[in-house]
Amino acid sequence: MTDAIRIDGLTVNFGGVHLFSDLTLAVAHGEKTTLTGPSGSGKSTLLRCIMGFAPCAGGNVFVNGENVTHQNIWQVRGQLAYVAQEPELGEGMTRDALTRPFSYRINRRLAYDEQAALRLFAAFLLPVALLEKPAGALSGGEKQRVALIAALLLQRPILLLDEAASALDNASKQAVRDYLCARDDLTILSVSHDIREFALSGAIANMTEIQQETPS
Amino acid sequence: MSASDITYPQLAAGYALLLLPLGMFLWYGVSLISETVLSVLRMTAQLLFVGFYLQVVFQWNNPWINFAWIAVMVMVADASIVRGCGLRVGRFAFPLAVALLAGVLAPLLLFLFVIIRPNPILDARYVIPIAGMILGNCLRADIVGIRGFYEAIHKREKTYLTALAAGATLQEAVLPFMREALEAALRPTIATMATIGVVSLPGMMTGVILGGADPMTAIKYQIAIMLAIFTGTAITVTLAIYLTLSGSFTPYGMLDKDIFKSGKHR
C-alpha cells in the first residue's frame, strides 16, 4: 500500500539560502507524525512544499502515490487540509471563514454542516458565540482552532498542521490532541518546534535526522 | 458663436498668476519651486504640441489618423499606469494596453454611434477629445485598482494561501481581492457623480458652454461622458487584472514577486 505522503530526496533553497537537502520522509495512511527541529530548519517550508506553496530545487513529493507537479497540484490540494502557522481567516464573520471553502468548485460535492462545526467547537473548547464575531477580532488561539475546524470540515484525508497549538492553553492543547489522535481515518503531519509542548501519538521525525547531509 | 480667442500677451498675463503661489513657496520655504516651474514648462510644451497637432488632425479628419492618435494616447497612458503601479513594464505593458484600448473603444463607439452620431461619424472633433477624457480619467483609477490588487495579495498572502489550501482555483482565490480592487478604483468616480454640478462645474461642461452651446446641451454631454468614464474605468481595471493574471502567478498559483519593480516585496 502506498504512503499518504512520501518525500523523496527533497532539496529546498529559499531566497538564495540553502534550507535543507535530500530530505526523505514517509507518512503512512492514518499515521500521525510529528515533525520537529530547531527554528529555521525548514519545517514550515516542508509543509509549504507539500502544498505547492514553496518551490523545490530537487526531489519529489508524492501524495497518495501521485507525484506532485504544477499540473496536478490543484487536484492534489483537494486531498490535503492545511493549517498555517498563525492562520488568517479572511474577511467577514467566523462563520464566513467556515462556509467560504464550500463555494469553491472542488468542494461542491460537500455542503457546510453547521452541526459538525458545532461539535468541533465543543470538542476544542470554543464558545459557539464566536461564529457571529468578526474573524479578524479572534485571538491567536481562537484563530488556530477555527482554522483547524475549517480544515476538518472539508473532510480531506490528509491534514498538515504548522505549529497548530502554539497559541493554545494546556486544556485546549489537550483537547485538540485528543480529538486528532482519536481520528483513525486521518493522516496527520504536524510540525512542532518543541515536542514537549505539542506532539501527536505517532512517530517523531527530526529535521536534522531525515536529511542525507546536514546543511552547513 | 464660439469661445473668444486668447492672445499670447493675454496668456502671458495668466502666467503672472504663478507669481502668487511661487511667492508663497519662497516665503514658507516650500521646496516645490523648481518642480512647479518644470511642470508648468512641461504643461506648456505638451499642450502647444497637442494644440498644433490637433489642428492638423482636425484638418485631415481621417479616421485612421484619429485611431492612430488614440493608439498613441493609450501607449502613453499605459506606460504611466505601469510605472505608477510599481510593476514591471515588460510583463504588464501589453496586456494593459489591450485593456485600455477595449476600455476606451467600447464606450467611445457607443458614444459616437448611438449617443451623438456626428457627421462624419468618426469626426476628429468628437473622437479625440472624448477618447482623451475617458483615458485621462481611467488613469488614476487604474493605478489604484491594479496596484491595490497585486499589493493586497502580496501583503495578505496568508489569506490568499488559505483559499488555495481549501482548494480554490486561481480565479476563486483572487475573487475577494478583485472585488476590493474594483471598489477602490471606482468609488471616487461614484462619489464624483454624486456631487457633480453642485460642488464643481466639470471641465467638459465648461468647455461646451464656452464653445457657445446652451447649458442643457452641455449637461447632456457631461452626463454621457461621466457614464463613459465610469464604464471605461470598470472595463480597464477588470480586463487589466484578468489579462495579467496568468503571467503574474507561478503554475502553482503563487504570486510571482518578480512582477514588482522594486526589491521591497521580497
Side-chain angles (χ1 to χ4, degrees), chain B residues 81-138:
Chain B
I81 291 171
V82 175
R83 219 174 317 119
C85 289
L87 296 166
R88 278 199 193 280
V89 178
R91 298 272 193 101
F92 281 80
F94 181 70
L96 182 60
V98 173
L100 285 173
L101 211 56
V104 171
L105 288 184
L108 176 71
L109 293 179
L110 186 84
F111 218 98
L112 296 171
F113 283 88
V114 182
I115 304 176
I116 309 182
R117 302 183 200 176
N119 186 25
I121 201 102
L122 293 175
D123 193 341
R125 279 173 186 280
Y126 291 89
V127 171
I128 290 170
I130 291 168
M133 283 200 71
I134 297 172
L135 207 51
N137 282 280
C138 283

Side-chain angles (χ1 to χ4, degrees), chain B residues 184-198:
Chain B
L186 291 174
R187 189 159 291 194
T189 315
I190 295 172
T192 307
M193 286 198 286
T195 56
I196 204 161
V198 185

Side-chain angles (χ1 to χ4, degrees), chain A residues 10-216:
Chain A
L10 197 68
T11 297
V12 169
N13 303 315
F14 204 72
V17 181
H18 183 81
L19 205 54
F20 55 75
S21 61
D22 210 356
L23 185 146
T24 300
L25 176 71
V27 184
H29 288 279
E31 203 184 324
K32 281 135 187 83
T33 298
T34 304
L35 181 64
T36 189
S39 299
S41 59
K43 305 185 294 295
S44 298
T45 306
L46 181 60
L47 293 191
R48 289 165 57 88
C49 283
I50 301 171
M51 291 303 297
F53 295 162
C56 314
N60 293 297
V61 173
F62 297 88
V63 172
N64 286 329
E66 207 175 349
N67 192 353
V68 177
T69 65
H70 66 87
Q71 274 136 357
N72 64 15
I73 185 66
W74 302 88
Q75 282 75 47
V76 167
R77 283 183 190 138
Q79 302 169 49
L80 302 165
Y82 169 69
V83 181
Q85 196 171 2
E86 296 163 17
E88 284 302 330
L89 303 171
E91 302 290 305
M93 301 292 142
T94 303
R95 183 180 277 112
D96 298 327
L98 298 180
T99 57
R100 192 176 299 119
F102 293 96
S103 69
Y104 304 148
R105 197 176 309 130
I106 202 170
N107 303 320
R108 287 268 164 86
R109 58 189 172 79
L110 300 168
Y112 171 64
D113 181 352
E114 176 106 348
Q115 290 310 310
L118 292 177
R119 282 196 295 275
L120 289 167
F121 267 68
F124 295 162
L125 315 178
L126 280 174
V128 174
L130 287 189
L131 279 172
E132 314 289 343
K133 269 178 96 175
L138 267 53
S139 75
E142 289 169 341
K143 275 185 190 165
Q144 279 188 328
R145 282 173 285 173
V146 170
L148 180 56
I149 291 170
L152 287 167
L153 286 176
L154 294 176
Q155 301 175 26
R156 308 264 169 89
I158 301 168
L159 187 56
L160 305 176
L161 304 176
D162 194 352
E163 308 280 0
S166 61
L168 302 188
D169 58 55
N170 283 331
S172 314
K173 234 175 237 178
Q174 193 58 44
V176 167
R177 191 185 172 280
D178 288 349
Y179 175 87
L180 293 176
C181 292
R183 285 281 304 264
D184 292 332
D185 55 329
L186 269 182
T187 305
I188 306 179
L189 179 57
S190 166
V191 158
S192 177
H193 71 282
D194 187 347
I195 50 172
R196 286 165 304 180
E197 288 292 319
F198 192 76
L200 297 173
S201 50
I204 307 272
N206 195 308
M207 280 303 280
T208 48
E209 288 161 14
I210 56 178
Q211 295 179 63
Q212 286 295 313
E213 25 171 322
T214 38
S216 49

Side-chain angles (χ1 to χ4, degrees), chain B residues 85 140-150 177 181-182 184-185 237 241:
Chain B
C85 289
R140 214 184 52 176
D142 283 355
I143 293 178
V144 170
I146 298 163
R147 183 197 184 114
F149 176 78
Y150 285 109
F177 297 97
L182 269 175
V237 175
I241 292 175

